[in-house]
Amino acid sequence: VNDQPSLAHPSNFPSSSLKSNTNSALIGSKPIVIIGAGAAGLFAAAILADLGLGSKILVLEKTLKPAAKVLISGGGRCNVTHNCFDPRTLCSHYPRGQRELLGPFKRFNCEHMIEWLESKGIDLKTEEDGRVFPSSNRSQTIVDCLMTTATKGGVEIKLSSSVEELKQLDVNYLLQTNHENLFASHILIASGSHPSGLKLARLSGHNLLPPVASLFSFHVENFPFEALAGISLHASVWTSSKLAQHGPLLITHWGFSGPAILKLSAWQAIEFHQTGYKTPLWIDWLPTISLEGLEQHLLKAKSSTKSIVTVFDQILPKSLAKALLDLSEIDSSSSAQYCSDKKLKVLASKLKKWPFMMNGKSTHKQEFVTCGGIALDEINFKRFESKISPRLFFAGEILNIDAVTGGFNFQNAWTSSWHVAQAIADDFISNSEVLATSLER
Ligand SMILES: Cc1cc2nc3c(=O)[nH]c(=O)nc-3n(C[C@H](O)[C@H](O)[C@H](O)COP(=O)(O)OP(=O)(O)OC[C@H]3O[C@@H](n4cnc5c(N)ncnc54)[C@H](O)[C@@H]3O)c2cc1C
């Protein structure tokens, strides 16, 4: 794999440069088969098309709709990547895959993806929180870009074609779809979290970690804030086992959502699953004020005749402050003068560590993923190739890699499939030719 992303044009790679041994046994068939026309499968096809290998590729997609998840992603806008260009910082957004992705992100990361999309004429915009979207605000823009690059480069895409069996023969693989038997020397399984793709991986000898939901909202037992649904504030949230997550917290009809909750759901996806999504959690409603600072703030209010709820002006939404006082059996309309020091201190410590009982979860509609999939110690991360079966590659969500929300899950799909494309190109084209072409740019 060359160190720099190559955006070389197809014409740079004449078919005569293909290694004859890889090609000879495959007359009448396509030597490269990609299973799944999702984000990862289509991006690998597009990069291979850019590298001049499009006519060697067959993409098999089980549904009638390629890139269906890309279309619905980001609420129909597709949060395609994130404005995070440092590989180490980028890795910190991945609860699973953090260590393994460092090398790959040094070679192809968000910056390279942005460059690639812009090289295809796609206008992008970065929102305040760092999420990157197409300026059109339409995920169709990204789907069109992937599909056009692949098909114009000669890639064949067969819809309604589900791969059901995979068997390694001497040099080639035999694939059985719902329509036909096919042979190929190079296979990319980019089937997302779909069980049929995981079955193919198991058939080829891979260990799988069971699929478990990540990125979800919390239901809370006896939830007292239903009437406050829609309020968002900065808070910290944690369970008994891990560090707190900080960020915007959204009150919903059933419990909590928003970035702080989604991050916690991703980092503790396995633990939440093990408890059946029933576990104690705590919220610090005022994470920017220390306990001592809050105690002093409340005790100082005793010198004023104003109602106690005004103590929280500027630091908590008024309706939430009122609800929290009600739950603490403090009359929000009375003056702090009438509260004992002890009661105010108890209130302060409760506001810093308010207990809840999680009691179930809801899917976050804007973005969700599953963790689990192919065990990462079975993958060579220079090529995203199986260590068990040569020329069998994996990219995207099928790997036991997932990220917090923000465009990072797609970035895993882009980075892994870019590496697969480079590795396959390396096998088909001699290294020197690939490097020479990328140096010419
Ligand atoms: C509602 C929603 C919104 C999201 N929004 C975002 C977002 O804005 N930003 C972000 O970074 N991430 C987002 N994600 C996550 C992101 O969509 C996934 O991480 C990404 O799509 C994974 O890409 P993939 O190619 O690995 O899998 P997929 O996109 O799931 O593609 C897999 C493809 O393989 C096909 N397939 C499966 N099995 C077979 C088989 N046996 N034979 C043939 N074909 C097969 C499937 O039909 C599918 O088309 C969102 C997810 C959801 C559900």
Side-chain angles (χ1 to χ4, degrees), residues 36 38-40 61-62 73-74 79 163 192 196 366-368 397 407 409-410:
E61 166 55 46
K62 79 195 295 286
S73 68
N79 174 196
V163 180
S196 67
Q366 292 264 311
E367 176 176 353
F368 55 91
E397 205 177 326
N409 283 300
F410 276 140

Side-chain angles (χ1 to χ4, degrees), residues 166-185:
L166 178 67
K167 205 172 180 182
Q168 190 182 353
L169 306 176
D170 290 347
V171 179
N172 293 316
Y173 287 88
L174 167 66
L175 296 110
Q176 285 177 11
T177 78
N178 50 341
H179 301 301
E180 59 200 332
N181 288 347
L182 296 164
F183 295 93
S185 62

